Amino acid sequence: MKNAVAGLGLAPDAAMVTFPMDMFLPGSDLGPLKARRREFYHGLTRWKSDFAQAEAGASAMLAVEGATYGEALTRANNLLLTNLWGDGLPLWPATRERADWILQGAALPRTHVIGKFPPRGGVTTVETCAVALAMAGGRPEYLPVLIAAVEACLDPATFFDQLQATSGGPFPVVIVSGPIAKEIRVNSGFGCLGPDPQRPAGASIGRALRLLQQNLGGALPGTGTMAIYGAMRYTNVVLAEDEDALPGGWPPHATERHGFAPGTNSVSVFFASGVTNIRRRGAKKETPEEDVRNGLWRMADFMRTPNLAALAGWEHGTPGMMMIPPVVAQTMAELGWTKHSVREFLWENSKIPMELLRRAGAPAWIEIDANPVTRDSIKLDPWPISATPGNIVFIVAGGSHPTHAHWLQAHSPRVTGRVVRVPETFDRLLADADRDLGCGAGACRI
Amino acid sequence: MVRLEFHDPSGALEVTQPHAPRLASFEGRRVGFVSNEQWQAYRMLPILKDMLEADFPGIEVLPVDAFPQGNALIGSEETAALVKKSRVDAVVVGNAA
């Protein structure tokens, strides 16, 4: 509630009368409502805000002391946790030195305001992004991707305020495109959803984004975000499409979805609420044609479920992202499949018969959707999980191994793209990374 | 002693508008409801209407469905215009998610 009013630009100390969840369930005892009527009347008449602009202005510096550096570091982490600014894993306190180091990756002034992080409305600047990235163990060359991802999240069309607060717990998925993905070590291969010590950028960038969601956006479990389960959001998802492995004629995701020219450094952000493995490869004897077609059916069959996860993105967003490994993409391409035709197959064959929707009580959710186009889709039988095949995000990523595909079910009103801007000194930052981390853009030890 | 100074990561808040002014009393006032119909609003708001009418003589509380209801309608300019036109002194907004 405090987040909601602060995010609207009101003082955050709203008049409140709070009750346990039970009272809001069907058939509940509403006696407590009557018993506490005077509190309602007070809130509606005599209540006044006590907020005195104390939180306005530039972010403050905090300080701790310890007999040793280790003790001071422990106390800093304790202070961050007790102020509800941590995630339970060790943090690097964003000292001036560390934040300034990260800011070497900024193409914009440190005071540049990107927006307000909903629902709480914390003012989001280049500096606050650098502070979060410093805490998350990041490096300067990661900052341009983090800032582009934050810009995408804060685009009003993304409906990020709702995504932050909703009980479904959607988390950002950031697809990095262009040469910057390899340059800063974002993984597109084996274990691309992490962790990967040779390609650690996605973990830090995603963790920094998560810290911003919590510390500026107020997404604290059970209050700022009603995410019932939380969905493994420590690092969100930051990965790259394996653009080098795309078969001829298969355009990169950023070109298909956002119209960015191939080779453009960019991010594409949507929101997922789960990740599922699909055993795509067959067993025993089968031809390449059977392998591809059976695998596609298994994917479509999985997508054809009346859990309404995709409703939020039905018209403009996405029902989810299907990921297939490069070796499978190559086989598909050799048999004449394209990204377009794969998407058409998945869309056509994941339509849900209205009878199954009715059995699950699903039509009521379609009927009350805020989007009239989505409401109107109730007339379709079978019901497609999105307005068009183009809504489905389909990328080539993962280890070059044919057995599995991955489906990231979405809760995403939009898929938002942003170009990544890097500072003039970016090459020096990459050279520093090679010096510090070794191996360069390609992995060299595994 | 080692001292560590570091940035507060919570960012600044900017207050750009005041809360709605409160009525001194409900007596003799006209009050309306705007609801998105979630979380038992259909049971709770009538109770609130009854309580207000019982506790504040002279208050006029409009029916719960006097204005359009539901997520798709309560935030629209058309609904805001209807509320203004009704000349209510206050509106209780039931907006749950």
Side-chain angles (χ1 to χ4, degrees):
Chain A
M1 181 64 189
K2 287 180 179 175
N3 282 339
V5 294
L8 292 170
L10 299 159
D13 60 341
M16 286 193 286
V17 186
T18 57
F19 295 94
M21 186 63 175
D22 314 43
M23 206 180 77
F24 300 93
L25 302 179
S28 64
D29 172 18
L30 295 179
L33 194 69
K34 293 178 183 171
R36 296 176 66 184
R37 66 210 305 175
R38 299 290 160 196
E39 293 176 60
F40 281 101
Y41 300 160
H42 175 80
L44 292 167
T45 55
R46 291 185 296 281
W47 176 84
K48 283 190 177 135
S49 170
D50 290 329
F51 185 71
Q53 286 288 121
E55 290 191 58
S59 63
M61 295 300 286
L62 308 167
V64 293
E65 292 185 340
T68 63
Y69 175 76
E71 188 175 77
L73 184 61
T74 299
R75 287 184 175 165
N77 269 273
N78 291 344
L79 181 65
L80 289 165
L81 271 181
T82 53
N83 279 289
L84 309 178
W85 295 327
D87 59 6
L89 299 175
L91 293 157
W92 286 102
T95 59
R96 282 195 178 86
E97 295 78 12
R98 184 163 286 275
D100 289 350
W101 175 58
I102 297 284
L103 281 163
Q104 291 177 27
L108 295 163
R110 68 191 297 159
T111 54
H112 173 78
V113 176
I114 301 169
K116 291 185 178 180
F117 225 100
R120 176 172 169 265
V123 177
T124 310
T125 63
V126 169
E127 183 184 87
T128 58
C129 290
V131 167
L133 189 55
M135 290 169 66
R139 297 181 52 88
E141 69 272 16
Y142 304 167
L143 186 60
V145 168
L146 174 63
I147 286 175
V150 169
E151 288 174 342
C153 287
L154 300 191
D155 184 324
T158 301
F159 295 100
F160 196 39
D161 51 344
Q162 297 171 30
L163 298 171
Q164 279 267 80
T166 187
S167 54
F171 52 87
V173 176
V174 181
I175 307 165
V176 185
S177 294
I180 196 169
K182 279 173 104 174
E183 289 169 353
I184 68 169
R185 297 173 168 81
V186 177
N187 196 352
S188 65
F190 277 102
C192 59
L193 300 187
D196 179 3
Q198 293 190 112
R199 303 170 192 83
S204 293
I205 295 167
R207 189 185 184 201
L209 183 54
R210 176 65 208 158
L211 290 171
L212 289 166
Q213 289 177 258
Q214 175 181 288
N215 296 339
L216 271 72
L220 285 164
T223 55
T225 169
M226 300 312 288
I228 298 172
Y229 299 108
M232 307 166 288
R233 297 169 301 179
Y234 287 89
T235 61
N236 294 315
V237 171
V238 180
L239 82 165
E241 184 169 39
D242 190 345
E243 295 180 357
D244 293 345
L246 286 170
W250 284 40
H253 165 74
T255 303
E256 261 195 323
R257 188 86 193 197
H258 305 295
F260 298 143
T264 303
N265 290 327
S266 67
V267 298
S268 176
V269 179
F270 76 96
F271 293 80
S273 57
V275 184
T276 305
N277 193 69
I278 297 169
R279 188 179 298 192
R280 190 213 59 83
R281 179 173 62 89
K284 297 190 175 179
K285 282 185 182 174
E286 61 180 7
T287 64
E289 289 81 2
E290 288 168 335
D291 171 77
V292 166
R293 190 159 284 271
N294 293 348
L296 283 170
W297 270 112
R298 235 170 277 147
M299 296 179 212
D301 286 345
F302 188 84
M303 294 160 70
R304 193 177 58 250
T305 183
N307 69 348
L308 298 173
L311 204 56
W314 198 85
E315 185 187 11
H316 297 295
T318 182
M321 174 169 79
M322 187 62 75
M323 303 164 66
I324 62 164
V327 66
V328 174
Q330 200 57 51
T331 304
M332 286 178 167
E334 285 166 7
L335 294 173
W337 290 88
T338 63
K339 270 194 167 182
H340 180 77
S341 62
V342 169
R343 204 180 271 113
E344 291 268 353
F345 181 97
L346 294 176
W347 184 77
E348 192 59 48
N349 294 297
S350 61
K351 290 179 178 174
I352 308 170
M354 189 53 67
E355 180 189 352
L356 295 185
L357 286 171
R358 281 199 207 96
R359 187 178 69 181
W365 281 104
I366 301 172
E367 286 163 8
I368 66 165
D369 196 89
N371 183 339
V373 176
T374 306
R375 289 201 298 274
D376 208 38
S377 73
I378 194 79
K379 298 170 187 161
L380 303 172
D381 186 7
W383 185 75
I385 62 171
S386 58
T388 70
N391 292 98
I392 299 169
V393 175
F394 177 53
I395 69 166
V396 176
S400 209
H401 184 294
T403 303
H404 304 285
H406 244 38
W407 170 243
L408 275 69
Q409 161 188 289
H411 176 100
S412 197
R414 290 287 195 287
V415 181
T416 310
R418 281 291 183 279
V419 169
V420 175
R421 290 157 295 184
V422 300
E424 290 178 4
T425 55
F426 198 62
D427 286 344
R428 180 178 59 74
L429 299 179
L430 296 179
D432 288 350
D434 283 350
R435 178 199 65 207
D436 295 345
L437 303 178
C439 299
C444 63
R445 293 190 187 171
I446 298 174
Chain B
M1 220 45 168
V2 177
R3 181 179 169 83
L4 266 182
E5 279 190 37
F6 51 98
H7 288 272
D8 174 335
S10 64
L13 287 180
E14 218 173 46
V15 177
T16 55
Q17 57 181 325
H19 283 285
R22 264 46 184 172
L23 299 174
S25 165
F26 281 124
E27 287 176 24
R29 299 293 191 165
R30 184 176 163 85
V31 177
F33 290 101
V34 172
S35 168
N36 71 342
E37 297 186 288
Q38 295 284 305
W39 297 105
Q40 307 299 300
Y42 79 99
R43 295 167 63 211
M44 289 188 187
L45 295 184
I47 290 176
L48 186 54
K49 173 176 160 64
D50 291 345
M51 289 193 304
L52 287 167
E53 287 171 342
D55 292 338
F56 297 98
I59 192 172
E60 183 189 358
V61 185
L62 302 185
V64 172
D65 60 357
F67 301 115
Q69 300 184 81
N71 279 327
L73 300 173
I74 64 170
S76 70
E77 290 299 326
E78 291 76 10
T79 300
L82 286 172
V83 171
K84 278 185 188 170
K85 192 177 170 188
S86 72
R87 300 203 315 275
V88 290
D89 299 299
V91 175
V92 176
V93 181
N95 182 19

